Amino acid sequence: MPRSRLRAALANPILLLAMAPLFWAGNHIVGRAVAGHVAPGGLSVLRWVVAAAVLAPFVGQCLRRDWATIHANAWTLILLALAGGGLFGTLQFFGLQYTTALNVAVLNSTVPAFIVLAGALIFRDPVRLVQVLGVGVSLVGVLVIISKGDAAALGALEFNGGDILVIANMALFAIYSACLRLRPIGLHWMSFTLVLCIVSGLANVPLALWEAANGQHLRADWLTLLAVLYVGIFASTIAYGAWSRGIELIGAARAGVFLHLVPVYGAVLSMIFLGESLRLFHIIGLMLILAGVALAARKPN
């Protein structure tokens, strides 16, 4: 991609914030595919090692320029990395071992509301009516898709301990997203993402060692390799970088509603990889979600 196009893409918050949910939707599918096959701690360590390796060839100049800023704000960056990467990513893999992809899709849809709440409670952010309306409209669209247009299907959902873990994890990610404003001004998004990768990987080493000591070893096969490459490159490097940069451009409250695109992408991926057909409820749900995103992402007057 020519540099001019790359710079334009990195300045387009809509593109960036639409991209991150796409790769996180794929992460849900991968997480369910490897549940019980790959130990969560070991997968998390390799995930962040791969992500750091992908960034390393491109971040040298930014890192040298930002080193003094990173050193001066080390604890802020460490806490952000632990919340948004070290804990969130690993707990997501744990939760996916004990619940269904459908439940995760439902619970994922609480994050935009959690982000607005976190911003209001922690930073006293004003809550605009149009934001609440946008979150509500897009949430209805999410429910239409995951219920396949049948309200009775939502009533039949069963939740367990894994779901409690997932919803607590969604609240953690919302706090992380709201607190991204604490990232030092001027710190390049690639430098920040590399710090997140390193801290997150190191934070999961004790868990990976504990798993290995208890016989939970990574299986050296194609499924493990593909899972590690996907979550390391797409769900970590690209998604986290795009999400951080998008929030930097328009703020967490306006960005949060883009997470409602996760089930939309999930439905599309199911059509591509599982042969599912496009149904009327997909179209209705998508229209509602896009309308809600457009409302919530509007720039304040």
Side-chain angles (χ1 to χ4, degrees):
M1 179 185 292
R3 288 190 176 184
S4 59
R5 291 188 179 181
L6 179 59
R7 284 195 295 267
L10 292 174
N12 187 333
I14 304 301
L15 175 62
L16 294 168
L17 293 169
M19 185 188 305
L22 171 60
F23 296 130
W24 284 330
N27 196 41
H28 291 168
I29 294 175
V30 171
R32 286 299 297 166
V34 301
H37 181 84
V38 180
L43 177 59
S44 293
V45 171
L46 289 179
R47 165 190 192 168
W48 298 112
V49 168
V50 169
V54 170
L55 273 174
F58 307 100
V59 74
Q61 183 177 352
C62 297
L63 198 60
R64 285 190 294 273
R65 187 199 67 190
D66 293 335
W67 183 248
T69 301
I70 293 171
H71 185 266
N73 296 274
W75 281 110
T76 298
L77 295 172
I78 288 171
L79 291 174
L80 284 173
L82 287 175
L87 287 174
F88 173 77
T90 306
L91 291 175
Q92 192 81 335
F93 288 134
F94 269 111
L96 284 165
Q97 294 189 74
Y98 302 106
T99 188
T100 66
L102 177 60
N103 283 18
V104 171
V106 174
L107 298 175
N108 189 87
S109 300
T110 63
V111 178
F114 278 145
I115 289 176
V116 173
L117 182 61
L121 293 178
I122 300 173
F123 299 103
R124 299 290 189 263
D125 290 346
V127 179
R128 297 184 296 128
L129 179 60
V130 70
Q131 281 181 342
V132 177
L133 181 60
V135 170
V137 170
S138 58
L139 177 58
V140 172
V142 169
L143 296 178
V144 168
I145 289 176
I146 62 180
S147 67
K148 298 182 179 180
D150 181 6
L154 296 176
L157 286 175
E158 296 182 359
F159 295 94
N160 56 35
D163 298 298
I164 296 175
L165 179 61
V166 170
I167 197 167
N169 206 31
M170 297 304 176
L172 177 65
F173 186 75
I175 293 172
Y176 160 76
S177 297
C179 290
L180 274 176
R181 71 188 70 186
L182 300 177
R183 192 179 96 186
I185 296 174
L187 180 63
H188 197 279
W189 68 269
M190 284 200 295
S191 298
F192 174 75
T193 305
L194 182 64
V195 171
L196 184 144
C197 293
I198 294 172
V199 172
S200 298
L202 291 174
N204 280 287
V205 168
L207 174 59
L209 293 175
W210 179 85
E211 290 172 343
N214 285 273
Q216 299 180 50
H217 302 289
L218 288 170
R219 300 184 190 182
D221 56 24
W222 284 107
L223 179 58
T224 300
L225 177 61
L226 292 174
V228 169
L229 290 177
Y230 179 84
V231 299
I233 296 172
F234 296 99
S236 300
T237 309
I238 299 176
Y240 271 85
W243 185 251
S244 298
R245 175 62 174 154
I247 285 181
E248 179 184 332
L249 291 172
I250 69 169
R254 292 170 62 200
V257 74
F258 281 82
L259 291 173
H260 280 162
L261 292 172
V262 171
V264 175
Y265 290 136
V268 172
L269 292 174
S270 296
M271 294 173 203
I272 295 172
F273 295 107
L274 302 178
E276 295 185 3
S277 57
L278 181 66
R279 306 283 296 278
L280 178 61
F281 65 81
H282 288 126
I283 297 172
I284 295 173
L286 175 60
M287 291 175 64
L288 288 168
I289 289 171
L290 292 179
V293 167
L295 282 172
R298 286 177 60 186
K299 187 176 182 179
N301 295 327

